[in-house]
Amino acid sequence: MMEYRPERILLEKKVESSPLTQRVLQHWTGVPVELVNEAAEIRHYTGKQPTLALIQYKGRFIKPCPGTPRHICCNYLILNIGYNCPLACSYCYLPAYLENPHLITLFANLEDMLGELKRLLASRPTYLMRIGTGEFTDSLIFDQITRLSETLIPLFSHAEGYLLELKTKTSLVDHLLELGPKQRVIISWSLNTSRIIEQEEPLTASLEERLLAAQACQRKGYWIGLHLDPLVHYEGWMEDYSQLLRLTFSYLDPSRIIWISLGGLRFLPELPPLIKERFPHCRIILGELFPGQDKKLRYLQKIRIELYTTLAILIRNYAPQTFIYLCMETPIVWRRSLGWSPQSDRHLARLFAQHFQAVRGTG
Amino acid sequence: MRERVFKKVALRDIDLSDRQFIFSYPLSPERLYPSIKQIGLICPVLLRRETPPHQVIDGIQRLLALQDLSHEYTEAFVYPDSTLQPLDAFHLTLQQNLHNRTLNPLEKGLALQKLLNQFGIGREEVIRHYMPLLGLPPAEKVLEDYLSLNGLEEEIKLVLVREEFPLPLAHQLARFSPEDRMALFRLARELRLGLNKMRELLRYLEELSLRDAVPIHVLLESQDCQQIIRNQRLTRPQRVEGLRKLLKQKRYPRLSQLEQSYSQAIKRLDLPPHIKIIAPPYFEGEGLTLEARFTDASDLKEIALSLQKIADREEITQLLGCLYNT
C-alpha cells in the first residue's frame, strides 16, 4: 500500500490548536505549513502537489446519504470527517465533486463534530441507523494519525439504535484492535478481484492485506462488513470473483460478517472524461455502460442481474445466513437477482435492524 | 520610425534558409511569378543586419520568387541588428502581415510557437497579449489547439489552408499518432465527414482502440470497415451510417446483440401497424410498453384479439429476455 505524505499543509488559523491538528503536524514534521485566515481561501486552490488542508468545517457533519432517484437506498447516515482520499482509485466518484484532486481536506474542529454526533446518539431512532465515515474519504487512511476512531468507537457503545461503520481499502487497523467496546462497530472492507485492485486501485492494500486486517479485527470482536463494489464485468469475471470469495471465506468467519453489499460499476455521466484525463489507460470505462433512470451510467440491466445473481449464489455457498443487499439498484434488479426486493428504503432499513438483532444474539 | 536603410541588396548576400522571423505558410513563390515578370518587385523586402548575410524579416515569398526567376538583386529596407532586436523584428513582420492580410490558422499556430519557443515569451503573456492580436480568444485550450497544428502532416496542412477541411476536426486529429491521424484524415476526406459525425466515429474508434489495444489505423484497415468505406454501390451518407453502425456494434456487442434479437422477435410477431411493443431505453426498466391505437369499438376488439394471439408466443419471452432472464 502506498504511504501518503503531503508536500504542503494548509492550516486554517481557527483550528491551529485543535488536538487533531496537533497530531497531524506532529506526524508530518518537516512538511511546510501555510496558515490561512479562512477555509474559503483554499476553496479554489489549484496547487498540483499533494496538499493536506486542516480546516474548521462549518456545515452539518451528519447527513443522510443522498442515494439516487428511482433506486432503492439503504437509509445510511454519513458522518463527514473530510473530503478526498489519496488512494486515487480510477473509478472513484470524488473527482466529480472536487475542484482539485491533489487537495485532501480534514475537518479539525472535532469538538463540533462530536457535539453533533452526541446529540444524535442521544435521540432514539425509530429503526436502526447506520452511520459511516467512509463516504467522502477512506475511514482509516488517516485514522492512525488523527486517532478519530479512538473517540468515535466508545461513543457508540451505549448508542442503542445506532451502528458505526468504518469503511476502508487499507490494512491500517493495528490501532483499532485494542479499542472497545466494539459491539456496535463494523469495520468494512471494499473488496475486489486482484486484477481490479492491481489495475484500478493500485495504491490501496492488496486483497490479502485487506483480508488479513479484517481477520485481525474479527478475532478482536469487531463485526465485519464487506462491500463487493464496484463489481466489474470483464472477460473472466466469474472465475476471478469466485476466487475472491474463496479467499475471503478462507480468512473470515461468515457468522461475524454482518452484511455484504453488491454494487455494479456506475458513474456519474461527468466522470468518464475526468477518468480519461487522470488515467488515460483506464479500461473499465470501456465496458458497456448506459444511462439509467437516475442518469448514472451502469452496465446493461441484464449484465447487472447476471453479476448479482452469480455473486449471491457464490456467497450463499459460504455464508448462507449473511445479509446480502444491493447498492443503488432498482426493485426489478433486486427481484431478479436476489429473488426479493425491499418495499421501500425504510423497509430495507428495518431489515438491517432485524438482521442485526438476529445476529447479535448468535454472534 | 526605426533606423533603416533603403538599398539594393544581392540575393546571394541574404540567408534564405534563416527562417527565424518567418511564419508564412505555405511558401508558394510561384504565385508571384507573373506579377514579378510583368512589373518587377513593387514592395521592398525587410532585412536585418547591415553586413551580409542578411536575415529575412519580411518578404520571403518575394525573395524566393526572385531567386527562382534568376534575379540577382532586390530592393530592401535593411535594419541594423544593433537597433532592432530579434523580438522587435518579429513584431515588425507580425504587424506588417496583420495589417495587410488575414493569417491562416497554420500561420497563427506557427507565430504562437515562435513566440513561445524561439523568443521565450511566457505562456500567460502569449495568451493575454498575442492571441487577441491574432484574432484568437485568449484561452489556454485555444493556444493548445493552434500549437497542435504545427505537428500536422503537409497533406493536412494544405487542405486546411484551402479551407477544405474543418479546423476543429484538425485540432482533434492533432492528438493522434501520425499513422492514426492520416487514416482518420483520409476517412474524413473520403466520406466528407462533418464535425459531429466524425466526433461520434472518433469516440467509437478511440474506445475500441483502447479496449482492444489495437491502433485506430489498424481498426480502419480491417476488412469489415474497408468493405463499407470503399463500397461504391452505396452513397456517401449510406457508407457513413454503415460504418457508424459497425463501430457501434463492435463497441457495444451486448447491446447490439439485444437490439438485434429484439428487432428480430418484433419482426416475427408481425404486429398489426397500430400495435407497438416498446422497450425502455437501453433495455433498462421493469417491463415493456404496449402501445395501441384504435378509432372505434371494433378496432379495440380487433386489438384485443391480436394481443390474445401473441400473448403465448415464444417471441414475447424473447422480448422480455432482453431486459432480464425470464
Side-chain angles (χ1 to χ4, degrees):
Chain A
M1 213 192 89
M2 60 83 77
E3 199 172 321
Y4 174 78
R5 183 181 168 84
E7 286 180 23
R8 192 176 177 199
I9 294 175
L10 302 174
L11 172 58
E12 188 179 0
K13 277 184 182 162
K14 284 175 201 145
V15 292
E16 213 177 337
S17 56
S18 120
L20 187 143
T21 301
Q22 291 311 310
R23 285 194 286 264
V24 168
L25 297 184
Q26 239 168 36
H27 181 81
W28 282 307
T29 47
V31 175
V33 179
E34 190 183 317
L35 280 178
V36 294
N37 289 319
E38 286 290 333
E41 289 174 35
I42 53 173
R43 195 168 296 156
H44 305 295
Y45 177 73
T46 54
K48 298 250 187 287
Q49 73 271 51
T51 305
L52 183 76
L54 298 165
I55 64 159
Q56 178 192 45
Y57 183 62
K58 289 179 182 156
R60 280 178 52 205
F61 286 93
I62 303 167
K63 285 178 190 160
C65 174
T68 192
R70 296 176 178 210
H71 290 67
I72 292 175
C73 293
C74 57
N75 268 359
Y76 196 73
L77 285 180
I78 298 163
L79 173 60
N80 194 358
I81 57 171
Y83 285 122
N84 207 359
C85 161
L87 295 175
C89 302
S90 68
Y91 52 77
C92 179
Y93 54 82
L94 289 172
Y97 297 101
L98 301 169
E99 273 192 37
N100 185 343
H102 308 285
L103 178 69
I104 292 170
T105 305
L106 293 180
F107 305 146
N109 49 329
L110 275 188
E111 58 295 349
D112 296 333
M113 180 195 297
L114 296 174
E116 194 179 319
L117 181 62
K118 281 176 189 167
R119 283 194 296 280
L120 174 79
L121 298 184
S123 66
R124 193 66 192 260
T126 46
Y127 48 84
L128 184 78
M129 296 297 300
R130 293 167 306 125
I131 305 177
T133 58
E135 207 62 21
F136 297 119
T137 185
D138 184 286
S139 295
L140 299 182
I141 186 80
F142 298 120
D143 202 59
Q144 285 185 329
I145 302 160
T146 63
R147 301 271 162 185
L148 184 59
S149 299
E150 279 179 16
T151 316
L152 289 181
I153 289 174
L155 278 183
F156 277 79
S157 60
H158 301 295
E160 201 57 40
Y162 295 95
L163 291 177
L164 171 68
E165 183 179 28
L166 304 174
K167 210 188 285 183
T168 190
K169 286 190 192 115
T170 74
S171 53
L172 305 170
V173 295
D174 291 352
H175 66 298
L176 300 179
L177 298 178
E178 301 311 325
L179 296 177
K182 308 173 170 91
Q183 68 270 23
R184 310 196 68 83
V185 181
I186 293 125
I187 318 281
S188 288
W189 272 267
S190 297
L191 297 183
N192 224 315
T193 64
S194 294
R195 173 168 156 177
I196 294 300
I197 292 175
E198 278 162 28
Q199 287 178 357
E200 314 299 336
E201 310 170 351
L203 304 181
T204 63
S206 71
L207 177 60
E208 297 212 49
E209 284 169 339
R210 290 183 214 182
L211 290 173
L212 271 170
Q215 186 185 58
C217 288
Q218 203 178 46
R219 285 180 177 164
K220 287 288 182 179
Y222 284 108
W223 289 103
I224 300 300
L226 299 178
H227 299 285
L228 303 185
D229 192 348
L231 293 174
V232 183
H233 186 260
Y234 58 87
E235 214 180 311
W237 67 269
M238 206 185 289
E239 202 174 300
D240 286 2
Y241 280 104
S242 304
Q243 167 66 12
L244 160 70
L245 291 171
R246 228 182 349 260
L247 200 65
T248 300
F249 289 103
S250 70
Y251 280 91
L252 300 179
D253 169 6
S255 70
R256 295 289 298 173
I257 295 174
I258 190 153
W259 55 59
I260 299 177
S261 77
L262 304 176
L265 180 70
R266 57 204 174 276
F267 295 120
L268 286 166
E270 51 271 42
L271 202 60
L274 295 176
I275 296 177
K276 234 179 195 175
E277 203 180 304
R278 293 179 73 201
F279 308 100
H281 300 291
C282 174
R283 294 160 78 102
I284 56 169
I285 50 171
L286 304 171
E288 292 196 54
L289 298 144
F290 303 100
Q293 295 170 22
D294 59 353
K295 311 278 180 244
K296 279 187 187 158
L297 304 173
R298 288 181 171 80
Y299 291 127
L300 286 167
Q301 180 170 285
K302 209 174 153 119
I303 293 182
R304 290 184 343 258
I305 293 173
E306 194 182 328
L307 280 167
Y308 299 143
T309 310
T310 310
L311 269 285
I313 290 170
L314 288 169
I315 291 167
R316 280 177 186 142
N317 283 338
Y318 298 101
Q321 303 303 320
T322 302
F323 187 63
I324 302 173
Y325 70 98
L326 303 184
C327 191
M328 294 192 192
E329 271 302 352
T330 55
I332 183 73
V333 173
W334 273 81
R335 285 201 301 277
R336 296 280 165 178
S337 308
L338 302 183
W340 68 282
S341 161
Q343 288 141 23
S344 63
D345 297 358
R346 288 202 156 210
H347 180 218
L348 179 57
R350 273 204 305 278
L351 293 174
F352 273 109
Q354 281 168 13
H355 177 71
F356 183 63
Q357 292 303 339
V359 294
R360 202 179 177 188
T362 58
Chain B
M1 179 71 89
R2 286 187 183 277
E3 183 194 337
R4 62 182 188 179
V5 179
F6 179 73
K7 62 178 183 183
K8 202 171 168 185
V9 178
L11 288 185
R12 65 170 185 280
D13 289 340
I14 303 171
D15 184 356
L16 292 175
S17 66
D18 184 339
R19 304 282 163 90
Q20 193 179 351
F21 309 118
I22 310 299
F23 51 83
S24 296
Y25 184 87
L27 290 180
S28 43
E30 60 284 354
R31 286 186 300 115
L32 303 176
Y33 293 169
S35 76
I36 290 178
K37 276 180 189 163
Q38 201 178 355
I39 45 176
L41 195 67
I42 304 165
C43 195
V45 300
L46 306 185
L47 303 176
R48 183 171 175 266
R49 220 179 266 153
E50 289 159 297
T51 51
H54 303 289
Q55 281 182 299
V56 183
I57 299 175
D58 190 64
I60 186 75
Q61 309 258 30
R62 281 164 279 163
L63 289 168
L64 290 172
L66 288 172
Q67 189 187 45
D68 292 348
L69 296 172
S70 306
H71 287 238
E72 287 183 22
Y73 293 93
T74 181
E75 286 180 336
F77 286 110
V78 182
Y79 291 81
D81 49 358
S82 57
T83 58
L84 190 75
Q85 296 305 305
L87 182 59
D88 298 327
F90 190 72
H91 284 158
L92 191 68
T93 179
L94 194 60
Q95 292 293 354
Q96 175 97 347
N97 277 280
L98 288 170
H99 186 70
N100 292 329
R101 65 192 183 95
T102 307
L103 302 189
N104 67 45
L106 273 308
E107 291 174 321
K108 289 178 184 178
L110 193 54
L112 290 168
Q113 190 186 49
K114 281 180 183 284
L115 283 163
L116 284 167
N117 301 342
Q118 207 168 291
F119 299 109
I121 309 288
R123 251 182 129 76
E124 253 178 57
E125 197 187 338
V126 167
I127 293 172
R128 191 169 39 83
H129 177 67
Y130 290 94
M131 288 181 66
L133 201 68
L134 294 169
L136 300 174
E140 176 72 36
K141 167 81 174 67
V142 181
L143 175 63
E144 270 309 313
D145 280 348
Y146 275 81
L147 290 175
S148 70
L149 298 179
N150 295 306
L152 296 178
E153 289 69 16
E154 287 301 303
E155 197 179 339
I156 307 179
K157 284 181 177 176
L158 289 170
V159 293
L160 265 180
V161 171
R162 293 201 297 266
E163 295 182 2
E164 292 169 2
F165 196 74
L167 182 62
L169 200 49
H171 292 319
Q172 296 248 351
L173 294 190
R175 62 195 163 88
F176 292 96
S177 72
E179 294 89 350
D180 286 351
R181 180 163 54 239
M182 285 315 290
L184 289 166
F185 171 68
R186 285 181 191 127
L187 175 76
R189 295 278 285 168
E190 167 87 32
L191 299 182
R192 290 191 200 149
L193 292 169
L195 193 57
N196 287 338
K197 274 277 175 271
M198 187 65 177
R199 271 199 188 125
E200 191 183 358
L201 297 184
L202 262 184
R203 188 171 69 83
Y204 290 142
L205 284 164
E206 269 193 284
E207 291 180 352
L208 281 169
S209 166
L210 187 57
R211 188 191 70 188
D212 303 339
V214 176
I216 287 176
H217 70 276
V218 176
L219 286 171
L220 283 173
E221 281 154 17
S222 67
Q223 205 186 350
D224 45 4
C225 283
Q226 284 300 317
Q227 266 173 3
I228 296 172
I229 296 167
R230 302 208 175 281
N231 189 341
Q232 296 304 325
R233 280 173 301 169
L234 299 176
T235 63
R236 272 204 186 91
Q238 283 172 331
R239 283 188 275 161
V240 173
E241 185 49 23
L243 185 62
R244 193 192 69 80
K245 271 191 182 157
L246 177 70
L247 294 176
K248 186 186 166 201
Q249 200 181 325
K250 286 179 178 223
R251 171 66 184 87
Y252 300 113
R254 286 287 291 257
L255 177 69
S256 305
Q257 197 189 328
L258 290 182
E259 284 173 343
Q260 199 182 351
S261 112
Y262 190 87
S263 68
Q264 281 170 357
I266 288 283
K267 211 172 178 180
R268 284 198 304 274
L269 276 177
D270 196 21
L271 296 167
H274 46 288
I275 298 179
K276 278 182 184 158
I277 298 178
I278 303 159
Y282 307 109
F283 301 103
E284 171 84 30
E286 281 271 359
L288 302 168
T289 303
L290 181 70
E291 196 181 277
R293 187 173 39 79
F294 58 94
T295 50
D296 53 31
S298 75
D299 265 7
L300 186 57
K301 274 183 200 160
E302 206 178 299
I303 287 167
L305 273 175
S306 303
L307 292 177
Q308 216 165 14
K309 273 187 211 160
I310 62 167
D312 292 330
R313 298 263 304 264
E314 193 194 323
E315 284 82 2
I316 297 296
T317 313
Q318 279 171 13
L319 291 176
L320 286 166
C322 294
L323 275 63
Y324 34 72
N325 293 327
T326 48

